[in-house]
Amino acid sequence: MIEPTLPQELLEARRTPLFDFETLPDQLAESHRTTVWAQLFVQSGTVRYTDLHSNDPRDISLGAGDSAVIEPNVEHRVEPATDATFFIQFYRTPDAPMIPGTIAPSPPQRSGPWEHSGQDLDSTDQILEMVTRQYVDVVQDELLEPYFNFAPGFIDWQGHIESVADYWCHVLLYAPGYQIDVIEAHRTLHDTDPFTPEVFDRWLDIFNNTIDDGWTGPHAEHAKKKATGMAWAMAQRFLGKGTWKPAAHR
């Protein structure tokens, strides 16, 4: 058995949340394959990694601090022990997008209504589409757009949209807590150009309208409730208690 090695020219792309035995998504608990190079990193406990179809199959047990390189298009299975925590780091070539084949380098424009998907927000593809639509409208809004346009090329839209989509995937599909303080992550924006009650109104309107125009179901309703609570908590932290409330609570 020869351990594969990552090609030297690769760059880090997206990374999954920290998973354990309970939070590993069903689609990753089954045999699957990636279209890009990846690497599994174990932080605690043990994880069994098995190649199912490759020229040199592996069946290895990884402990804390160990990692395994995952080759593109090789079917494999990941089986964490009950005490395991781990994540997957994906890689890309220098000329490849952060999210291969899914998002253009800058948000597209639109001039008409979105088409309703006829689905709930119950898959990673639907969540990525929802976040992409949301930011298409955000960057065309005169009140919110300045927060994303401090200088040419300031925003890596592919990386930003993927990061936000990861958060909503965690909330809607993967269950327990997220590894980043989402509210505190916005402090730099607030310190640069202080948020106002109108900013919170507009952001929440766009978020809710994006979902209502594209998705229906319990996951969609949960997303709107989560966004309302997050906006309320952020306003209290940055503006002070009682300065802003969602319209439904005024």
Side-chain angles (χ1 to χ4, degrees), residues 142-148 150 186-196 199 239:
E142 61 181 13
L143 184 61
L144 301 182
E145 186 269 345
Y147 290 100
F148 299 91
F150 294 125
H186 288 76
R187 182 171 293 280
T188 299
L189 289 175
H190 175 67
D191 289 344
T192 303
D193 186 1
F195 298 154
T196 64
V199 165
L239 306 185

Side-chain angles (χ1 to χ4, degrees), residues 28 68 73 78 107 118 139 164 166 172 185 208 210 247:
L28 298 185
N73 300 312
V78 175
V139 298
V164 176
D166 275 347
L172 300 176
N208 288 337
T210 298

